[in-house]
Amino acid sequence: MKKLFKIAGIALLSLIGLLLAIFLLARFVFREQAIDYLTGFEKQQRVELLRAAGPYAADTVQYRFTYKQDTARAREIREYFRLDTLVNPAATTWDNARALAQFVARNIPHANQKVHPETRNAIGLWEYTRTVEPAFNCRLHSILLHELLLSQGIVNRFVTCLPADSLDRDCHVVNLVWLPECEKWAMIDSDMQSYVASPEGEALSLEEMRQRTVAGEPMAVHRLLGTRDPENYLSYWAKNLYWFTCWEQTGYDKEVGYEGRAIALLPPGFEGFSLDESTVRTSDADRFWAAPQPAE
């Protein structure tokens, strides 16, 4: 009996030693490989969920995106931020958009603020970071960048990008910039200090990012500042490309008065969640991502 207990004890100690060795190897020797494996596995699950959503479908839901300008507000913002020191009139729209996004990223880190800003526009948010908290979340990043871009005549939307899981309270908000030279949209993310491009270097829109994610086509993560793990970033995007919402009319002070309707792009058969009653639901991706139309 004593011999049996001794054998069992040795076996148990051996098992504990083996598990400890595996843990130490995973923790210190193969840590990067383990993280890469888990990231890849998680990303694949998210991609499969996108694929299972099926293709978008045309519909006749009535809405029209408009892009409102205000010359007095534009001048006020340009002068307040001294944007003439940041942008180059001879540069492309994309180069100037990146310069403005880098300015925001450099001066305002990401954080989930404890005190919500009273005034959610460019000047109000900037002063908030100088007097209340030095950092804030992706939505406030996008509102600030939206108005800086708008003041330079750069058409853009700030778009909320959401997951399929209603229990997942994490979403992401970025700017979608219209590039007239290329006649296409491009996503830029001052909060996570990145944008996504094709292997050839062409900046991608949210629509293109979703299409490439579903198709398994390669994408490259470009940093506005510093470095970021590209696979983690693309895995995060695979989660938050399921559905989208944005304002029907863009302009200054959009989230000061909260006037107007939101438009939600949803996969067919998916109802979304936490949507206001006034939100317009559509599955027509072609119209949702259409080129901006001239003001009437």
Side-chain angles (χ1 to χ4, degrees), residues 8-277:
I10 292 171
L12 180 60
L13 288 173
S14 298
L15 179 60
I16 292 171
L18 178 61
L19 292 173
L20 180 60
I22 292 172
F23 170 78
L24 292 173
L25 284 170
R27 178 68 177 83
F28 297 106
V29 180
F30 300 117
R31 180 173 180 272
E32 294 302 322
Q33 292 92 325
I35 291 173
D36 288 346
Y37 173 79
L38 292 173
T39 299
F41 179 73
E42 184 178 54
K43 180 183 176 184
Q44 189 58 37
Q45 287 184 311
R46 293 168 172 177
V47 171
E48 291 303 326
L49 193 61
L50 279 179
R51 288 173 178 159
Y56 289 114
D59 58 41
T60 57
V61 176
Q62 295 298 306
Y63 64 91
R64 184 177 186 272
F65 287 115
T66 57
Y67 303 87
K68 189 177 179 181
Q69 186 55 271
D70 182 324
T71 54
R73 287 298 306 282
R75 183 171 58 253
E76 178 188 15
I77 289 171
R78 288 196 303 269
E79 291 175 354
Y80 180 91
F81 288 96
R82 298 180 60 212
L83 295 187
D84 61 314
T85 65
L86 299 175
V87 299
N88 178 0
T92 65
T93 303
W94 182 237
D95 285 342
N96 281 331
R98 282 191 303 164
L100 293 172
Q102 286 169 336
F103 168 75
V104 175
R106 187 179 299 111
N107 285 281
I108 305 173
H110 167 84
N112 291 316
Q113 66 280 355
K114 297 176 182 177
V115 179
H116 289 280
E118 293 182 3
T119 306
R120 292 160 65 109
N121 61 24
I123 294 174
L125 290 172
W126 181 265
E127 292 182 349
Y128 168 92
T129 63
R130 271 54 200 161
T131 59
V132 183
E133 293 186 43
F136 47 55
N137 65 19
C138 58
R139 186 168 200 86
L140 301 182
H141 262 263
S142 295
I143 292 170
L144 172 54
L145 182 56
H146 170 66
E147 294 197 1
L148 296 186
L149 292 165
L150 197 59
S151 74
Q152 288 297 137
I154 299 175
V155 172
N156 76 101
R157 310 183 204 171
F158 56 98
V159 182
T160 305
C161 311
L162 299 110
D165 185 359
S166 62
L167 299 178
D168 183 349
R169 308 311 297 173
D170 173 75
C171 63
H172 197 40
V173 188
V174 294
N175 295 88
L176 198 61
V177 179
W178 178 251
L179 308 180
E181 301 93 335
C182 309
E183 296 188 336
K184 71 182 298 293
W185 294 103
M187 184 281 294
I188 197 159
D189 181 358
S190 66
D191 179 72
M192 290 191 174
Q193 305 177 352
S194 302
Y195 66 93
V196 178
S198 68
E200 296 73 34
E202 181 182 59
L204 299 176
S205 67
L206 290 168
E207 179 185 26
E208 291 169 319
M209 287 167 59
R210 193 181 195 277
Q211 290 171 344
R212 283 177 173 264
T213 300
V214 169
E217 296 175 354
M219 294 181 283
V221 177
H222 292 254
R223 294 288 288 154
L224 296 171
L225 301 173
T227 59
R228 174 175 290 279
D229 183 333
E231 280 306 310
N232 278 335
Y233 189 63
L234 293 176
S235 176
Y236 181 71
W237 268 116
K239 176 179 81 75
N240 285 325
L241 290 169
Y242 198 81
W243 61 294
F244 308 90
T245 68
C246 65
W247 289 103
E248 183 176 23
Q249 182 186 78
T250 61
Y252 302 100
D253 299 322
K254 279 309 301 181
E255 298 200 357
V256 174
Y258 292 93
E259 296 179 357
R261 305 185 299 179
I263 313 298
L265 176 63
L266 307 157
F270 180 73
E271 293 298 320
F273 46 84
S274 303
L275 290 174
D276 188 88
E277 289 183 2

